[in-house]
Amino acid sequence: MKNQNIMFTRSIPKMPKARLVRSVLALGVVALIMQVSLPRAQAYDLTSLNGSYADSFSGFAPVSHGSPNTFLPISNYGPVYEAGLYTFDGAGGFTARNVLNFGGGIILNASWSATFTGTYTVNANGTGTMTLPGDHRRHFVIGDGGRQLKYVGTDPTGGIVVGGSMVKQ
């Protein structure tokens, strides 16, 4: 048994203590840096939205119109719901199909046959604006690395009040 120990210790190259301590210390520093490194903030741009997104929103639409930028009583609004499919081109444009339900009374595009186009902008921090036909706008925040959008409708003239989200397909 004694001879085996001697052979084992002889097969390991001798390293000066100072070099061994420096090597262990260097490995410890590398491990610490790897653990403490903060994730870098993602910079967003138009290419952050590319491909198809399933959309859903709910909110309220005015039943009787008042003049723009005036508050209407709640009795002047009815519920509105939407399901849609938006396809972003990664360059500031999109095409969409959607079905709208206005309080169960009016359903628009139930056959999914009508499409519309719009534009969008993206800021470096992941916020942006979609512009839809009829002066409709959505202000959004990109989430989950571009796989989700959370938005509110900001319709400056029609008074529609909605909030929704999109998920990449």
Side-chain angles (χ1 to χ4, degrees):
M1 189 69 133
K2 189 173 183 180
N3 287 340
Q4 288 176 347
N5 285 338
I6 292 172
M7 289 180 77
F8 179 73
T9 57
R10 286 185 185 168
S11 64
I12 298 174
K14 291 190 177 191
M15 182 183 288
K17 263 188 183 180
R19 185 175 174 194
L20 179 63
V21 168
R22 283 192 312 255
S23 296
V24 169
L25 189 59
L27 284 173
V29 168
V30 168
L32 182 63
I33 289 171
M34 291 175 66
Q35 291 295 320
V36 176
S37 293
L38 298 174
R40 294 183 183 179
Q42 179 174 352
Y44 294 93
D45 60 19
L46 292 175
T47 62
S48 301
L49 298 180
N50 200 349
S52 296
Y53 288 73
D55 179 44
S56 174
F57 76 63
S58 60
F60 297 94
V63 176
S64 59
H65 292 283
S67 61
N69 300 319
T70 60
F71 291 105
L72 298 172
I74 193 67
S75 60
N76 287 24
Y77 287 85
V80 59
Y81 307 96
E82 182 254 12
L85 179 62
Y86 286 67
T87 304
F88 294 91
D89 64 9
F94 67 87
T95 303
R97 294 176 187 264
N98 65 354
V99 175
L100 294 157
N101 181 324
F102 291 89
I106 300 172
I107 298 174
L108 298 176
N109 200 27
S111 65
W112 294 91
S113 59
T115 62
F116 62 92
T117 60
T119 60
Y120 67 96
T121 62
V122 175
N123 301 313
N125 65 359
T127 61
T129 304
M130 295 172 59
T131 303
L132 295 81
D135 203 24
H136 298 289
R137 293 200 178 30
R138 293 181 183 175
H139 285 75
F140 62 81
V141 176
I142 299 172
D144 197 17
R147 291 180 287 278
Q148 293 185 25
L149 290 176
K150 304 287 185 186
Y151 64 86
V152 295
T154 52
D155 187 350
T157 58
I160 295 175
V161 180
V162 298
S165 61
M166 294 185 183
V167 178
K168 188 161 183 145
Q169 285 191 313

